[in-house]
Amino acid sequence: MVDVLTEIVIHRPREVVASYASDPENAPEWYTNIKAVNWESAPPLRVGSRLAFRAHFLGRNLDYVYEFTELDPGKRLVMQTAQGPFPMQTTYTWADADHSSTRMALRNTGKPAGFSAVMKLVMAPTMRRAMQKDLAKLKQILEAA
């Protein structure tokens, strides 16, 4: 089982951070490994929405579909893979850090399938580094706006 949690404080209001981060079309801009996102269900984003993601991780191209299972705008978003090589759940949470800043948490949990035993050992640390880079990129984009 892999369970990785990362957090960051972004000096922008929670509504701005949550709106940008929860828009799947922005994912390739701030996620290092995500190369493309395509809607499988009609926008806007809601519980039950399905999106296909193309990513590159640990030297492999991965195609998977996320289904959105929880959506509390500005507070919490949960999605899980509906198909793909790595069954995973991704959770975003946003909370006010102060009157103009947001604490965003990004958590990925899952059971890697189709990876060698050696790859499974390095998966959590590799995911943690990638997630930290992703949140840093999100912070950079939003604080520059």
Side-chain angles (χ1 to χ4, degrees):
M1 179 78 167
V2 174
D3 188 350
V4 180
L5 172 67
T6 57
E7 294 183 334
I8 198 165
V9 172
I10 300 172
H11 300 290
R12 299 284 287 153
R14 181 168 41 95
E15 297 77 24
V16 171
V17 176
S19 177
Y20 183 89
S22 65
D23 183 343
E25 304 219 7
N26 292 330
E29 294 176 29
W30 65 277
Y31 269 103
T32 303
N33 295 324
I34 294 178
K35 305 307 176 194
V37 177
N38 294 300
W39 290 87
E40 287 200 345
S41 56
L45 186 64
R46 61 186 169 280
V47 170
S49 291
R50 291 172 57 99
L51 287 102
F53 289 77
R54 169 157 284 166
H56 187 80
F57 182 67
L58 292 174
R60 297 177 63 173
N61 289 320
L62 304 173
D63 291 307
Y64 52 93
V65 175
Y66 264 119
E67 182 171 329
F68 289 74
T69 59
E70 292 181 45
L71 181 59
D72 186 355
K75 296 181 183 175
R76 181 177 168 90
L77 178 150
V78 180
M79 55 186 156
Q80 63 187 26
T81 53
Q83 66 183 45
F86 185 174
M88 182 168 48
Q89 178 175 293
T90 300
T91 303
Y92 300 168
T93 57
W94 302 278
D96 294 331
D98 61 33
H99 67 280
S100 62
S101 297
T102 303
R103 177 174 304 283
M104 180 174 169
L106 173 58
R107 183 177 190 181
N108 282 308
T109 59
K111 294 181 181 178
F115 288 89
S116 71
V118 172
M119 292 305 273
K120 289 177 185 178
L121 291 175
V122 301
M123 190 163 289
T126 302
M127 284 177 64
R128 183 177 321 288
R129 281 189 301 275
M131 291 164 58
Q132 289 169 337
K133 284 174 64 175
D134 295 337
L135 288 179
K137 176 73 173 188
L138 179 63
K139 177 181 175 81
Q140 176 189 19
I141 290 168
L142 292 175
E143 290 182 358

